Amino acid sequence: MASLLELPDSWLCGIVPGSGTGACSMALQNLLGPFPVETFLSDSFSQYWANEIDTLALAPQRRHICAYGDFPNTSRIDPNHDIVLVLNGTSSGVCPPDLDWILPDRAGLVIADAVSAAFARHIDFDRIDVLCWSWQKALGGEGGHGMIALSPRAQARLKAGGRKPVARLMRLHNPDGSVNKAFFGGRTISTPSMFAVEDIHSALDWAEACGGLPALLNRVANNYAVMADWVNSTPWIDWTCTNPAARSTCSITLRLVREQLAAGEKEDDGKIVAGMIRLLEAEGAAFDIWSYGDAPPGFRIWAGPTVEADDLAILCEWLAWAYSETCEASIPPEAIGVRDRELVQG
């Protein structure tokens, strides 16, 4: 994984329990404390990490917030503070436009949740100190296992100590304060399923056969181009992320444009979306494309490197068909399922 991700040789890379969520929580608990921390709330998981920092009293925190569908202003950061951010938000379809605002000679550490960014977008390792990701997202492996990578600066922080107590399952250091090299040598506390190991081996072999990281990123770019062409040519759909510079190219989040609905068709957006998705599921054309729970009613489509551009083009045709069918048909209340009612109400 480190080789495919083109991780610098000076970094340490280890397998962790709890998928990408476990990796991020482990990074926060082992490394935060010496400096105040700045968090950038751009999606549901960045909010999650900000709450964990406060709940566990890991460090004094300053939160940077913005309107949903955008990335917060980065001009007011303190280079002497730690930074926690999400590199690709699957719930909002938002990512940092770039990392140029992070100084190479900073005093603080940068902890990055890269669960859906690893293997799907370029990562500037000069601007990041801790990278957390999972087996199952961009490479399509099994869930339950995550990865954490530490830069030399993060390793030095780990050795320096001064941290709050960390549970054994989450501990990256030995009792004497030294880095747990066994952890970064492939030893795991809870042995990963051998089926999951074989599955990720297969995914890595496939990725290498495709041409490695450059080829994976090119596949993502092609996928995004298909979706962008369709959105640009379709009057009733638009991006949830309104800032093109902050728009994810692999986590496609879309919303209906109500102004384009004809007179008499201005039903609730949530009802229209629910009707469309039920039609697509019934036809076997698309599954699990609901927008995230706290996002506006719409669609969330994964366009990572394991997805084919031709399939996305076909999906766009299905979406157009479902929209036409839903808006033209009168959907009686009894046809709306429990989950649909929750989406419409909430």
Side-chain angles (χ1 to χ4, degrees):
M1 272 208 174
S3 175
L4 181 64
L5 197 58
E6 298 181 358
L7 204 67
D9 293 339
S10 57
W11 285 51
L12 293 177
C13 183
I15 301 171
V16 304
S19 193
T21 304
C24 292
S25 186
M26 189 177 293
L28 300 181
Q29 294 187 43
N30 280 272
L31 294 165
L32 291 185
F35 301 106
V37 60
E38 310 209 20
T39 53
F40 291 82
L41 277 58
S42 59
D43 80 323
S44 299
F45 271 95
S46 54
Q47 180 74 56
Y48 183 94
W49 302 131
N51 292 343
E52 179 162 320
I53 292 167
D54 280 347
T55 300
L56 299 179
L58 297 175
Q61 178 182 180
R62 179 168 66 169
R63 301 184 182 205
H64 299 264
I65 61 176
C66 64
Y68 195 91
D70 204 352
F71 195 83
N73 188 321
T74 59
S75 63
R76 296 183 294 110
I77 65 167
D78 188 329
N80 294 315
H81 292 179
D82 292 334
I83 293 173
V84 174
L85 76 165
V86 173
L87 291 185
N88 186 75
T90 55
S91 61
S92 61
V94 169
C95 59
D98 58 59
L99 299 180
D100 294 345
W101 47 280
I102 299 175
L103 300 178
D105 58 348
R106 60 196 175 275
L109 295 181
V110 178
I111 299 176
D113 176 343
V115 168
S116 59
F119 311 106
R121 65 168 297 183
H122 171 73
I123 297 175
D124 186 348
F125 291 108
D126 290 332
R127 315 278 177 163
I128 291 172
D129 297 292
V130 184
L131 198 72
C132 307
W133 71 98
S134 62
W135 287 16
Q136 88 273 20
K137 194 63 181 182
L139 293 182
E142 288 288 335
H145 310 298
M147 305 292 291
I148 188 169
L150 305 180
S151 73
R153 298 175 73 254
Q155 296 169 45
R157 170 78 65 87
L158 199 60
K159 295 175 184 176
R163 64 187 67 82
K164 294 179 174 64
V166 180
R168 179 177 179 272
L169 184 66
M170 309 290 284
R171 199 178 300 152
L172 295 174
H173 56 85
N174 295 314
D176 62 1
S178 61
V179 175
N180 185 353
K181 291 295 182 66
F183 179 88
F184 294 99
R187 183 180 300 174
T188 56
I189 295 174
S190 298
T191 305
S193 158
M194 293 300 102
F195 286 108
V197 171
E198 287 304 308
D199 189 74
I200 196 63
H201 279 174
S202 177
L204 290 167
D205 289 344
W206 170 83
E208 290 176 353
C210 286
L213 185 61
L216 298 182
L217 300 184
N218 187 59
R219 289 172 66 90
V220 172
N222 291 338
N223 289 343
Y224 177 75
V226 168
M227 298 305 302
D229 287 346
W230 180 69
V231 172
N232 292 339
S233 62
T234 305
W236 50 266
I237 200 77
D238 202 358
W239 304 98
T240 302
C241 176
T242 56
N243 178 2
R247 188 177 298 150
S248 169
T249 56
C250 57
S251 298
I252 307 299
T253 56
L254 305 173
R255 61 181 179 86
L256 296 181
V257 181
R258 288 179 58 82
E259 291 77 13
Q260 297 295 336
L261 298 179
E265 292 181 345
K266 291 193 175 182
E267 303 172 81
D268 181 83
D269 285 356
K271 184 176 180 180
I272 296 174
V273 169
M276 291 175 63
I277 290 176
R278 287 303 184 206
L279 283 176
L280 295 174
E281 289 178 345
E283 295 292 335
F287 297 94
D288 194 26
I289 62 170
W290 300 84
S291 58
Y292 203 72
D294 58 359
F299 309 96
R300 187 168 61 137
I301 300 165
W302 177 244
T306 58
V307 177
E308 300 293 335
D310 289 346
D311 289 336
L312 287 172
I314 295 171
L315 173 62
C316 292
E317 296 178 9
W318 275 106
L319 285 166
W321 169 82
Y323 179 79
S324 176
E325 291 290 310
T326 303
C327 288
E328 291 178 1
S330 174
I331 304 176
E334 61 268 22
I336 304 296
V338 174
R339 184 178 178 187
D340 301 334
R341 292 194 195 97
E342 293 175 349
L343 178 65
V344 171
Q345 294 168 1

